[in-house]
Amino acid sequence: MRLFSRTPRVEQLKVVIVGAGEVGFHIARRLAQESKQVVVVDQSAEALRRVSEVLDVQTVQGSGCSPVVLSDAGVMDAHIFLAVTDSDEINIISCLFANAIAPDSRKIARIRNEEYHLFQDALTNEPLSISTIINPEKEVIKAIDRMLAMPGAVDFSEFADGQVKLVGVRLEQGPLIGRRLMQFREVVDDVNVIIAAIVRKDELIIPGGSDEILAGDIVYFACKDTSLETVRRISGHDTAPVKSALIIGGGNIGLRLAMLFERKGLHVKLVDKDKARCMVLAEKLNTTLVLHGDGTDQDFLREENVDAMDVVISLTSDEEINILSSLLAKNLGAKKTVTRVNKAAYQPLVSAIGIDNSVSPRLAAVNSILHHIRRGKVLSSVSIRGEGAEALEAVALADSDVVGKPVRELGFPRGTLLLAIVRGKEVVIPSGDSIINPEDRIIILTTREEVSRVEQALTVKLSQL
């Protein structure tokens, strides 16, 4: 029997989502595509109309703070409860009533205010019992930090406590351009590095040996943490570390990022249009130079020597301002730009107009929440290029057919690739002859269409099929 030879018979996962905004909508879409049972609750009829017109999910209009509305949404038999509105208070109260109605459900809440995070025990213990707290702002800062650690990186994920990296790098030059994958080992003799995926003009390719790497491709490398330097070397990018940064926007994200950069010893300038906010920032920061100014003013940027900056990061709450300031900085000579873009529809346009990298608090929240939703032996998951594919980390069940056979005999569906096997502290980048042992962690990349089958196959013992 092969791992993917038939569909496992498992109980359908039911998820109730409070909040039909960008975060709730994108999570609902992902879960609906995976044939999960999804109910979306929101007070806005217009927001629910958008959901119901596009997605095959159930909608309930009303407040997530109402126990009657939550009961109508079927919270009592939900496996997972998500509170992802823009209001921390609504999310907390929703979890309070959800826990009263369904104490055994797993509750995940989006909470941004740092003051609430100071009382972690009050949020995670009774009467709330929130299983996981997601702070989108912290997720964005982590994403920016990882991007800057790897020149040319547009995506950076870690698995198995950091032992395995999955890095998406835009290749404009270097030894891999024009090479087919079957020639990869002629250029890269490090067996701990493989190519997992290629993104070309927003098309995701799980490549075969005959696929060629072209200039402008985003190439996803899977590697051991000790082989990250190999990826840097073959990516064709300047590997000089970032030493200076200009941050445009002194909100919570800009402030936290400046604090992080200070701890790393970077030379930091932080710009904000609000004079009163600049005074607050100056009091909270130590070595950062706080400037009162407009990030879309060319003369101001020129005066601040933006051309000498290693990176310009635009983090205001207005994405049009962020895009414009990044384009101006790039035109004036900034080496690298990172732009905060909230609307998912804008994401594909960012690289097309010349901006190096984009980050989104909302999409960061979506990815982080999906990371915690997977069932059973699936430990975590990371979305690749928005929603094109997903990398899953799972534990190999002792009595499943995945154990004890060469990888080439496992019958993976097209578009699915085994990236790594983690056995204790040993990491194996597999070949066709590699064999998975019981309790190994395995990391699999699969297309969106196959996520549900792969998740179920990794969760359910084959004796139950």
Side-chain angles (χ1 to χ4, degrees), residues 128-180:
L128 290 171
S129 297
I130 300 175
S131 307
T132 305
I133 299 168
I134 304 296
N135 187 332
E137 296 174 353
K138 287 185 176 180
E139 298 301 324
V140 164
I141 292 169
K142 290 178 185 177
I144 294 173
D145 191 34
R146 289 193 295 259
M147 283 179 185
L148 299 184
M150 177 69 202
V154 298
D155 210 345
F156 196 117
S157 303
E158 296 181 328
F159 298 93
D161 303 319
Q163 295 180 83
V164 178
K165 315 289 188 185
L166 182 62
V167 188
V169 184
R170 187 180 300 278
L171 300 188
E172 300 291 353
Q173 57 185 355
L176 293 178
I177 300 299
R179 299 269 187 171
R180 297 185 184 278

Side-chain angles (χ1 to χ4, degrees), residues 352-367:
I353 61 177
I355 294 174
D356 298 315
N357 296 290
S358 65
V359 291
S360 166
R362 289 168 179 168
L363 291 182
V366 170
N367 285 335

